[in-house]
Every structure is written in C-alpha cells, then in structure tokens.
Amino acid sequence: MLKSSYFVLLLSLVSFFGYGQNNGLFCDQIIALKRTIKINHYQPKVVDDSLSTHVFDLFLNSLDEDKRLFTKSDVAQFEHDRFTLDDYINTGSCEFINNYTTILSARLEDTKRVISNIETEDFDYTGKDTLIFKPETTFKYFNNDEALKNYWSKRLRYNILYTLVENDSVLEHIKNDFKALESALKPKVIQKELCKLEELKNRLGSVDNFVKEAFLNAYLHYQDPNSSFFNASEKEMFVNALSNDQLSFGIITSKNDDGDIIIVHITPGSAAFNNVDIEVNDVIKSLSTNMKTLETYCVSDEDVLAFTSDQNHNTITFKIKKQNGTLQNIELTKTKTKTEENTVFGYIIEDKSKVGYISIPSFYSDLESPNGLGLANDVAKELYKLQKENIAGLILDLRFNGGGSMKEAADLSGMFINRGPLSILRYSNGETYTINDMNRGALFTKPIVVLVNNYSASASEFFAASMQDYNRAVMIGSATHGKASAQVIIPIDTNEALGFSKMTVEKFYRVTGKSHQAQGVIPDIILPNLYDGFNTQEEFIAYALKNDSIAGIQNFPKLKKLPIEQLKKKSLSRIDNDATFNALKRLNKLIIKNYFELDTEYPLTLDNVYSEMIRYKNQWNTINTPLENHSARFTVKNTEYTKEIISYNDDKKTINQAILKDIKTDIYIEESQRVLQNLLNLMPQN
C-alpha cells in the first residue's frame, strides 16, 4: 500500500513539475497581457472580482464547450478560482493553471478509456434506452463516471444508426443485413471519436499549451469578443488572410472520415503546383523541418495549417502517401503565391440593361507593397474593364465579407463619391479623427446596389455605411454583423516570443455620428435570409461593446435622396410572390426548429432514428427543390479581357464556369439586378 501511494505521489509530482517547468513563460505572458490591455485597449476593464468571475466562465467554457469532459466534482474544485483569478493576474501568479491542465488531461484519457472499453460490449438497439435532444444551453456536466459511460454508449449507438441510414436510405436493406453492417461500422465510428479526442490532446502541440492559450484568450475576450491572443503561427495565418499575396506552399488540406489529412486543392503557380510529384487526394502522413516533425494522424486540419504557416517553416518535407499506396518524401519551399480567395473579378449581367457584378471577398491589402495596394486597386482594374463594356450600373456583393483593412474600405468608398468625410474614429481617450476621401472625383458615377448579409462585418460595414449615408447606393439584403470597432496586431511585450494580441483599439462611427455597433447597417431593402434567427451577430456575443453615438458632421456633400420607398415596394411585391424566396423562408424555419430549438426524445431504435432522419431529409428536399432548380432569366458572362485571360488555362476555365453558374442561380443577385433595373428606370442616366 505504501509503495502504491508513493507511485501515485511520484506521478503527481512528475505531472506538476512537467507542466510547471513551462510556467515561467506563462507568468510573463499574464504580466505582459495585463500591461498591454491597460495601455492599448479601447475600453480596458478593471482587474477585480467581477473580471475574475467572467473570465472564469469564459475559460471553463473554452476548455469543455459541450460539457462532455469535466464532471461536476471537477467544476466544484475549479470554483475555488472564480473570485481569485484577478489576484493571480495582479500578482503575476500562474501556478493555478496546472490544475486545469492536469484534470483536462486526465478527463481526456478517462473518456478515451471509456470509449475503448465500450467497443467490446454488445450494443442494445431495442429501445431500452432513450435518446434525448435538447438545446445546447441545457447541457450539464456529468455527475459521475457512470453518466459519462451512459452518454458515450448512447452517442456511439446513435452515430452508428445515423451513418447506416446515411449510407443506405432503404430501411429493409439495413434490417436484412443489420448485424454485419453494424459490426463493420462500429470500430470505425469508435475510432473516429477517439481521433477527435486525440486531436484535442494535440491541439497547439499539447494540452498544456491549449489550456494556457485558452486562459489568455478568455482574459482578452472579456475585454471584448474581437480581441484575441495569437501565437506566432496564428498571427502569421491572420496576416496572410488579409493579404492578396503570401508566402505559401499552395496546398489546401482537409480531414477525411478516416482521420487522414488529404490535399484537396493546389493553387496554380505555387510551389506544390510546380512539383509534379504532389497531387490532389494525396494523403499527408507527416510534415518535417530541421527542428520539428508533425505526425498528422489524428491531428486537426487547423494544426496542420498552423505548422505550414509558421514563418520559421519555409522549407518542409512532406511525407506523402499516394493513391497507389506508395510513400514519398517531397521537399517544398514556400513561394509568393496569389491568394485565390482574395481575388476579385468583374462579370456582366444582361437583361433589360447591361450591368456589372463584382463580389468582394474581403478587404485585403498587399502589406509588402510600397503603396499598400490591395482590394480597392483590384476593384478599380475590374471596374475599368466593365466600363469598357458600357455597363449602366453596378452590383457590389459584400455577403460573407468579414472585413479587413480599413484603409482599403476608405479607398473603395472614395472611388464612388466625389469628396468628403467617410467615417469618424474615436480613441480610448475620447479624442476623434475624421477619415476623409481626399481625392476629388469619382471613378464610377452610375447607380449602384450593394448586397450584404449578417456575415458582412467591420470594413464591409464601414463601406456600406458610407455608401448609404451619401445616398450613393441602394443597400439590399439583411442587417450586417454589427462590428464597429477596429483592431491592430501588437506584440504583448518587446519580447515577441511571448506572443501577440489582436486588440480592439478604437471604434468607428458613421459620418452622422451614429454607430452600427451591435446593431448592424440596416439595408434599405431587407430580403429573407437563410440565417435569420441564428443569432450570430455581434449583439448576441457576450461582452460586445455597447452601441452609442457621438457628434456627427452636419454638412457633408451627400447626393440627392434615392427613391428607396418606390424600390422597396416593388421588391416586396416580387418577394412575396416568389416561390424561391418563400421556399427559403420555410427552409430557415426548418433549420431553426431542428437545430436551435430541438427538444424531443424517443427510444433508441433503428426504426426511430430512420424515421426522424428521413422525415427531416424529405422536408428539406421538398422545400429546397425550388432553390436547387432556380435559374435567373438574365444572362451572365465575362468581360472580353477576362475571356482572353482564361482561354489559356483549363483550370481557370473550369473555375470560371462554376462561378458563372453560381451567379445565374443566386436568388439574391437576381433580386439585386431587378432592384438596380428599377433604379435605372426611375433615375435615367444622361
């Protein structure tokens, strides 16, 4: 007994000192982050008991978001820190973190053990157990190990039945061969869940790193949800996402059902593209540099991206498994590659009039260019090509545009107005600064429609608000995200090894002095949205900055008021009588009911799972059919310049055909075109 106790104590000490030896860095990060927030954040919060309890909740939730790892006794133990985290932050104490790392590591192993042990048991599908579906807000931590085992037993059984129905929608086929099908599928489903746990265990390299960064992020998210902690790789990925050129291997990966990382796309002109030995559908088994190796099985796609994005990993040896089973080691060195997602092209839509269409994916910028040329410059080039085609108006599509460079948003705004103020910045000390368009004259003066949705955020909203305030464009779609704050990436210390923060440093306001923070830019014409009721906007995120107003600019040179009421009336009449938009409304209600408000239970049997799945699938297919079959009456084509460019590249031809099809079948683009046509009729050009 004494020997056993000594062994347990030794394990505990090894665990403690194993985590503790890296705590010096974490202590320095806490001290540096506290100082950086106080100096730089737009609205830094006092480090007191109130901060402590909110950071505690954010931290715990980020460690076990679905409440599927920790037990109630674990949480009771953690509760000791609810009102002491502020003391740890103020004193730079960091040993508290070891407890979370130790317990999370133990619960991951416990869960893996429970799932592995279940594999040897015969599963009961007679309906003795009941499946219970509840909204996520009602999830509770497990009472004990028995509750943990019961949960996983039911979850695995449900996943098996669900997969069987997905693979074969004929119930009799499944019943006739159920035993063999279930027996073959069971180990695969179990391995998939074990792999997910292993991914969490390896996230950011270790549980210790994951827990510590989760705390740093919780501390920042309490300041506001748009402030985050970045390690060096995360910072590099974020910067790359805002650039139209980046150093990369040109490989996009995904994780398949077997837990392997596969290559799903190779960017033309990239290092991977120029190497004939690497192909789409190759499996990446490992990534190696001179200093480090990442084995990719049961590792998340995000961690693979972080490894390849690391600025210290410019040359990597990819261990590749080919489709014929052979293994190859292929060394690649990053090259400067055009980011395909951050490239804009202009298209021509023809019906009664010829109009231009440009989708703007983000407000990216070329950070290495002496002039900082990015999105606005690319749009200007496309606009030149479109005007050569004699377009009568323009549709700018900002849906799902999460923002980017405010400078690019200001430059783009200036292309469509003559001259004047665009927005007002407010700093933490209350001082304000007016952003002006200094270049007299507009690049395009014809009517414009701007299409937005609730995922249009930040710089997108800056641009949309400017166009709306100047009466320069008709805004159509749904209320935008509601983020009227600006962030900068700064090292949290002069020693950049401590990491970086994307920190909110200012708010921006419309030229009228009003703010769209936590409200969004409200379109002139609101269209039904598949995402209505999802509550993803800023106003639904905890600790979001509040909406307020400041003194605006009284006499800015806005244009004559647009005939919004007439346009709105015509659009509403069309929407009410449009089968596709009515189908979309029903589809939205179906998703809300089955995912956000689902509250039901039924016995765990094949018949019941099959019945629920087929019922939902049939409803979806019936409602979605008008959307799937929709095709607009207009024609869509490329500019003459683009036709010539793509004629030399088969890959670009294929991508282009898919884009043309997407434009023609998009009901929002179709309604935008109709609104623009109405506007052209009401405001004829000379």
mmCIF file of all heavy atoms in Angstrom, residues 127-133 154 158 161-162 598-615:
data_model
loop_
_atom_site.group_PDB
_atom_site.id
_atom_site.type_symbol
_atom_site.label_atom_id
_atom_site.label_comp_id
_atom_site.label_asym_id
_atom_site.label_seq_id
_atom_site.Cartn_x
_atom_site.Cartn_y
_atom_site.Cartn_z
ATOM 1 N N GLY A 127 -34.450 -0.187 -27.830
ATOM 2 C CA GLY A 127 -35.272 0.918 -27.342
ATOM 3 C C GLY A 127 -35.321 0.984 -25.833
ATOM 4 O O GLY A 127 -36.072 1.789 -25.263
ATOM 5 N N LYS A 128 -34.514 0.158 -25.185
ATOM 6 C CA LYS A 128 -34.442 0.191 -23.719
ATOM 7 C C LYS A 128 -33.959 1.558 -23.245
ATOM 8 O O LYS A 128 -34.410 2.073 -22.222
ATOM 9 C CB LYS A 128 -33.491 -0.905 -23.236
ATOM 10 C CG LYS A 128 -33.296 -0.948 -21.740
ATOM 11 C CD LYS A 128 -32.309 -2.057 -21.366
ATOM 12 C CE LYS A 128 -32.047 -2.073 -19.870
ATOM 13 N NZ LYS A 128 -31.054 -3.115 -19.500
ATOM 14 N N ASP A 129 -33.031 2.150 -24.013
ATOM 15 C CA ASP A 129 -32.530 3.490 -23.687
ATOM 16 C C ASP A 129 -33.229 4.529 -24.551
ATOM 17 O O ASP A 129 -33.710 4.223 -25.649
ATOM 18 C CB ASP A 129 -31.023 3.566 -23.919
ATOM 19 C CG ASP A 129 -30.254 2.719 -22.913
ATOM 20 O OD1 ASP A 129 -30.629 2.724 -21.725
ATOM 21 O OD2 ASP A 129 -29.279 2.049 -23.322
ATOM 22 N N THR A 130 -33.248 5.738 -24.054
ATOM 23 C CA THR A 130 -33.947 6.827 -24.743
ATOM 24 C C THR A 130 -32.967 7.886 -25.218
ATOM 25 O O THR A 130 -32.048 8.271 -24.489
ATOM 26 C CB THR A 130 -34.973 7.484 -23.792
ATOM 27 O OG1 THR A 130 -35.908 6.493 -23.370
ATOM 28 C CG2 THR A 130 -35.715 8.611 -24.486
ATOM 29 N N LEU A 131 -33.157 8.344 -26.440
ATOM 30 C CA LEU A 131 -32.388 9.469 -26.968
ATOM 31 C C LEU A 131 -33.085 10.761 -26.561
ATOM 32 O O LEU A 131 -34.299 10.904 -26.730
ATOM 33 C CB LEU A 131 -32.314 9.402 -28.494
ATOM 34 C CG LEU A 131 -31.365 8.363 -29.099
ATOM 35 C CD1 LEU A 131 -31.608 8.264 -30.590
ATOM 36 C CD2 LEU A 131 -29.921 8.727 -28.822
ATOM 37 N N ILE A 132 -32.318 11.688 -26.028
ATOM 38 C CA ILE A 132 -32.875 12.974 -25.598
ATOM 39 C C ILE A 132 -32.133 14.090 -26.327
ATOM 40 O O ILE A 132 -30.910 14.172 -26.261
ATOM 41 C CB ILE A 132 -32.746 13.163 -24.071
ATOM 42 C CG1 ILE A 132 -33.478 12.037 -23.328
ATOM 43 C CG2 ILE A 132 -33.291 14.520 -23.661
ATOM 44 C CD1 ILE A 132 -33.266 12.066 -21.831
ATOM 45 N N PHE A 133 -32.874 14.916 -27.027
ATOM 46 C CA PHE A 133 -32.291 16.048 -27.747
ATOM 47 C C PHE A 133 -32.749 17.333 -27.073
ATOM 48 O O PHE A 133 -33.942 17.567 -26.912
ATOM 49 C CB PHE A 133 -32.722 16.035 -29.207
ATOM 50 C CG PHE A 133 -32.247 14.831 -29.968
ATOM 51 C CD1 PHE A 133 -33.015 13.675 -30.007
ATOM 52 C CD2 PHE A 133 -31.035 14.848 -30.620
ATOM 53 C CE1 PHE A 133 -32.581 12.556 -30.702
ATOM 54 C CE2 PHE A 133 -30.590 13.736 -31.326
ATOM 55 C CZ PHE A 133 -31.360 12.591 -31.361
ATOM 56 N N LYS A 154 -24.728 5.753 -25.649
ATOM 57 C CA LYS A 154 -25.870 6.187 -26.468
ATOM 58 C C LYS A 154 -25.415 6.987 -27.691
ATOM 59 O O LYS A 154 -25.952 6.824 -28.783
ATOM 60 C CB LYS A 154 -26.847 7.010 -25.616
ATOM 61 C CG LYS A 154 -27.613 6.171 -24.602
ATOM 62 C CD LYS A 154 -28.923 6.810 -24.179
ATOM 63 C CE LYS A 154 -28.716 8.006 -23.309
ATOM 64 N NZ LYS A 154 -30.011 8.528 -22.777
ATOM 65 N N TYR A 158 -26.137 5.915 -31.513
ATOM 66 C CA TYR A 158 -26.859 6.829 -32.408
ATOM 67 C C TYR A 158 -26.030 7.117 -33.656
ATOM 68 O O TYR A 158 -26.554 7.117 -34.787
ATOM 69 C CB TYR A 158 -27.177 8.140 -31.687
ATOM 70 C CG TYR A 158 -27.813 9.178 -32.590
ATOM 71 C CD1 TYR A 158 -29.142 9.071 -32.988
ATOM 72 C CD2 TYR A 158 -27.059 10.252 -33.073
ATOM 73 C CE1 TYR A 158 -29.713 10.005 -33.832
ATOM 74 C CE2 TYR A 158 -27.625 11.192 -33.917
ATOM 75 C CZ TYR A 158 -28.953 11.067 -34.294
ATOM 76 O OH TYR A 158 -29.518 11.995 -35.136
ATOM 77 N N LEU A 161 -26.252 4.164 -36.055
ATOM 78 C CA LEU A 161 -27.537 4.118 -36.753
ATOM 79 C C LEU A 161 -27.652 5.252 -37.767
ATOM 80 O O LEU A 161 -28.134 5.051 -38.891
ATOM 81 C CB LEU A 161 -28.686 4.187 -35.747
ATOM 82 C CG LEU A 161 -28.808 3.004 -34.769
ATOM 83 C CD1 LEU A 161 -29.972 3.233 -33.810
ATOM 84 C CD2 LEU A 161 -29.000 1.691 -35.524
ATOM 85 N N TYR A 162 -27.207 6.422 -37.385
ATOM 86 C CA TYR A 162 -27.260 7.582 -38.277
ATOM 87 C C TYR A 162 -26.445 7.318 -39.539
ATOM 88 O O TYR A 162 -26.899 7.588 -40.662
ATOM 89 C CB TYR A 162 -26.718 8.817 -37.545
ATOM 90 C CG TYR A 162 -26.870 10.119 -38.295
ATOM 91 C CD1 TYR A 162 -27.954 10.957 -38.046
ATOM 92 C CD2 TYR A 162 -25.929 10.521 -39.245
ATOM 93 C CE1 TYR A 162 -28.102 12.162 -38.734
ATOM 94 C CE2 TYR A 162 -26.065 11.709 -39.936
ATOM 95 C CZ TYR A 162 -27.155 12.529 -39.672
ATOM 96 O OH TYR A 162 -27.299 13.710 -40.358
ATOM 97 N N LEU A 598 -34.605 22.265 -31.086
ATOM 98 C CA LEU A 598 -34.961 20.853 -30.966
ATOM 99 C C LEU A 598 -35.047 20.438 -29.501
ATOM 100 O O LEU A 598 -34.111 20.602 -28.736
ATOM 101 C CB LEU A 598 -33.923 19.986 -31.682
ATOM 102 C CG LEU A 598 -34.245 18.487 -31.751
ATOM 103 C CD1 LEU A 598 -35.517 18.263 -32.558
ATOM 104 C CD2 LEU A 598 -33.088 17.726 -32.379
ATOM 105 N N ASP A 599 -36.167 19.923 -29.116
ATOM 106 C CA ASP A 599 -36.399 19.479 -27.737
ATOM 107 C C ASP A 599 -37.329 18.274 -27.800
ATOM 108 O O ASP A 599 -38.545 18.401 -27.745
ATOM 109 C CB ASP A 599 -37.009 20.616 -26.919
ATOM 110 C CG ASP A 599 -37.052 20.295 -25.425
ATOM 111 O OD1 ASP A 599 -36.776 19.138 -25.048
ATOM 112 O OD2 ASP A 599 -37.368 21.207 -24.638
ATOM 113 N N THR A 600 -36.735 17.098 -27.932
ATOM 114 C CA THR A 600 -37.543 15.894 -28.103
ATOM 115 C C THR A 600 -36.801 14.681 -27.563
ATOM 116 O O THR A 600 -35.615 14.765 -27.232
ATOM 117 C CB THR A 600 -37.876 15.685 -29.598
ATOM 118 O OG1 THR A 600 -38.809 14.617 -29.728
ATOM 119 C CG2 THR A 600 -36.632 15.342 -30.399
ATOM 120 N N GLU A 601 -37.494 13.569 -27.457
ATOM 121 C CA GLU A 601 -36.866 12.317 -27.052
ATOM 122 C C GLU A 601 -37.659 11.150 -27.627
ATOM 123 O O GLU A 601 -38.864 11.255 -27.865
ATOM 124 C CB GLU A 601 -36.772 12.206 -25.533
ATOM 125 C CG GLU A 601 -38.086 12.303 -24.781
ATOM 126 C CD GLU A 601 -37.871 12.246 -23.271
ATOM 127 O OE1 GLU A 601 -37.636 13.311 -22.671
ATOM 128 O OE2 GLU A 601 -37.921 11.125 -22.718
ATOM 129 N N TYR A 602 -36.937 10.063 -27.886
ATOM 130 C CA TYR A 602 -37.592 8.850 -28.383
ATOM 131 C C TYR A 602 -36.675 7.652 -28.131
ATOM 132 O O TYR A 602 -35.455 7.814 -27.962
ATOM 133 C CB TYR A 602 -37.950 8.975 -29.868
ATOM 134 C CG TYR A 602 -36.825 9.376 -30.788
ATOM 135 C CD1 TYR A 602 -35.882 8.436 -31.243
ATOM 136 C CD2 TYR A 602 -36.710 10.691 -31.252
ATOM 137 C CE1 TYR A 602 -34.868 8.795 -32.101
ATOM 138 C CE2 TYR A 602 -35.693 11.052 -32.115
ATOM 139 C CZ TYR A 602 -34.775 10.108 -32.538
ATOM 140 O OH TYR A 602 -33.766 10.467 -33.396
ATOM 141 N N PRO A 603 -37.242 6.447 -28.075
ATOM 142 C CA PRO A 603 -36.441 5.245 -27.812
ATOM 143 C C PRO A 603 -35.363 5.043 -28.880
ATOM 144 O O PRO A 603 -35.576 5.323 -30.059
ATOM 145 C CB PRO A 603 -37.471 4.110 -27.855
ATOM 146 C CG PRO A 603 -38.757 4.774 -27.505
ATOM 147 C CD PRO A 603 -38.676 6.140 -28.129
ATOM 148 N N LEU A 604 -34.196 4.562 -28.430
ATOM 149 C CA LEU A 604 -33.055 4.365 -29.316
ATOM 150 C C LEU A 604 -33.212 3.065 -30.105
ATOM 151 O O LEU A 604 -32.804 1.990 -29.673
ATOM 152 C CB LEU A 604 -31.763 4.337 -28.489
ATOM 153 C CG LEU A 604 -30.431 4.088 -29.208
ATOM 154 C CD1 LEU A 604 -30.263 5.021 -30.386
ATOM 155 C CD2 LEU A 604 -29.281 4.240 -28.246
ATOM 156 N N THR A 605 -33.848 3.184 -31.269
ATOM 157 C CA THR A 605 -34.020 2.039 -32.169
ATOM 158 C C THR A 605 -33.716 2.484 -33.591
ATOM 159 O O THR A 605 -33.757 3.685 -33.907
ATOM 160 C CB THR A 605 -35.464 1.500 -32.139
ATOM 161 O OG1 THR A 605 -36.347 2.500 -32.680
ATOM 162 C CG2 THR A 605 -35.894 1.132 -30.725
ATOM 163 N N LEU A 606 -33.432 1.525 -34.455
ATOM 164 C CA LEU A 606 -33.185 1.820 -35.859
ATOM 165 C C LEU A 606 -34.408 2.477 -36.491
ATOM 166 O O LEU A 606 -34.295 3.455 -37.236
ATOM 167 C CB LEU A 606 -32.826 0.535 -36.611
ATOM 168 C CG LEU A 606 -32.712 0.655 -38.135
ATOM 169 C CD1 LEU A 606 -31.628 1.652 -38.530
ATOM 170 C CD2 LEU A 606 -32.453 -0.709 -38.762
ATOM 171 N N ASP A 607 -35.595 1.953 -36.188
ATOM 172 C CA ASP A 607 -36.824 2.499 -36.779
ATOM 173 C C ASP A 607 -37.008 3.971 -36.432
ATOM 174 O O ASP A 607 -37.376 4.783 -37.293
ATOM 175 C CB ASP A 607 -38.045 1.699 -36.298
ATOM 176 C CG ASP A 607 -38.157 0.351 -37.006
ATOM 177 O OD1 ASP A 607 -37.746 0.275 -38.173
ATOM 178 O OD2 ASP A 607 -38.643 -0.603 -36.372
ATOM 179 N N ASN A 608 -36.758 4.324 -35.180
ATOM 180 C CA ASN A 608 -36.963 5.710 -34.745
ATOM 181 C C ASN A 608 -35.935 6.657 -35.355
ATOM 182 O O ASN A 608 -36.283 7.764 -35.802
ATOM 183 C CB ASN A 608 -36.922 5.798 -33.222
ATOM 184 C CG ASN A 608 -38.198 5.272 -32.586
ATOM 185 O OD1 ASN A 608 -39.275 5.363 -33.166
ATOM 186 N ND2 ASN A 608 -38.087 4.703 -31.396
ATOM 187 N N VAL A 609 -34.674 6.239 -35.366
ATOM 188 C CA VAL A 609 -33.630 7.085 -35.957
ATOM 189 C C VAL A 609 -33.893 7.251 -37.455
ATOM 190 O O VAL A 609 -33.799 8.353 -38.000
ATOM 191 C CB VAL A 609 -32.233 6.482 -35.710
ATOM 192 C CG1 VAL A 609 -31.171 7.254 -36.498
ATOM 193 C CG2 VAL A 609 -31.900 6.508 -34.219
ATOM 194 N N TYR A 610 -34.249 6.148 -38.102
ATOM 195 C CA TYR A 610 -34.561 6.196 -39.537
ATOM 196 C C TYR A 610 -35.734 7.145 -39.803
ATOM 197 O O TYR A 610 -35.682 7.985 -40.710
ATOM 198 C CB TYR A 610 -34.900 4.794 -40.035
ATOM 199 C CG TYR A 610 -35.302 4.746 -41.493
ATOM 200 C CD1 TYR A 610 -34.335 4.610 -42.490
ATOM 201 C CD2 TYR A 610 -36.645 4.835 -41.878
ATOM 202 C CE1 TYR A 610 -34.697 4.581 -43.835
ATOM 203 C CE2 TYR A 610 -37.009 4.808 -43.214
ATOM 204 C CZ TYR A 610 -36.037 4.680 -44.183
ATOM 205 O OH TYR A 610 -36.397 4.648 -45.506
ATOM 206 N N SER A 611 -36.775 7.015 -39.005
ATOM 207 C CA SER A 611 -37.979 7.830 -39.193
ATOM 208 C C SER A 611 -37.670 9.317 -39.064
ATOM 209 O O SER A 611 -38.116 10.131 -39.882
ATOM 210 C CB SER A 611 -39.045 7.425 -38.166
ATOM 211 O OG SER A 611 -40.174 8.261 -38.264
ATOM 212 N N GLU A 612 -36.887 9.690 -38.030
ATOM 213 C CA GLU A 612 -36.550 11.099 -37.812
ATOM 214 C C GLU A 612 -35.683 11.638 -38.948
ATOM 215 O O GLU A 612 -35.895 12.745 -39.440
ATOM 216 C CB GLU A 612 -35.819 11.268 -36.476
ATOM 217 C CG GLU A 612 -36.738 11.237 -35.275
ATOM 218 C CD GLU A 612 -37.710 12.411 -35.261
ATOM 219 O OE1 GLU A 612 -37.255 13.569 -35.340
ATOM 220 O OE2 GLU A 612 -38.924 12.169 -35.197
ATOM 221 N N MET A 613 -34.690 10.861 -39.351
ATOM 222 C CA MET A 613 -33.785 11.305 -40.409
ATOM 223 C C MET A 613 -34.500 11.467 -41.744
ATOM 224 O O MET A 613 -34.315 12.472 -42.439
ATOM 225 C CB MET A 613 -32.627 10.319 -40.553
ATOM 226 C CG MET A 613 -31.595 10.387 -39.446
ATOM 227 S SD MET A 613 -30.234 9.234 -39.741
ATOM 228 C CE MET A 613 -29.507 9.898 -41.249
ATOM 229 N N ILE A 614 -35.305 10.480 -42.104
ATOM 230 C CA ILE A 614 -35.999 10.533 -43.395
ATOM 231 C C ILE A 614 -37.036 11.653 -43.407
ATOM 232 O O ILE A 614 -37.221 12.340 -44.418
ATOM 233 C CB ILE A 614 -36.654 9.174 -43.716
ATOM 234 C CG1 ILE A 614 -35.574 8.104 -43.886
ATOM 235 C CG2 ILE A 614 -37.513 9.267 -44.965
ATOM 236 C CD1 ILE A 614 -34.561 8.408 -44.990
ATOM 237 N N ARG A 615 -37.712 11.844 -42.271
ATOM 238 C CA ARG A 615 -38.694 12.928 -42.181
ATOM 239 C C ARG A 615 -38.028 14.277 -42.456
ATOM 240 O O ARG A 615 -38.502 15.075 -43.269
ATOM 241 C CB ARG A 615 -39.334 12.940 -40.792
ATOM 242 C CG ARG A 615 -40.349 14.071 -40.586
ATOM 243 C CD ARG A 615 -40.771 14.174 -39.127
ATOM 244 N NE ARG A 615 -39.647 14.463 -38.251
ATOM 245 C CZ ARG A 615 -39.132 15.690 -38.091
ATOM 246 N NH1 ARG A 615 -39.624 16.727 -38.775
ATOM 247 N NH2 ARG A 615 -38.119 15.881 -37.285
#
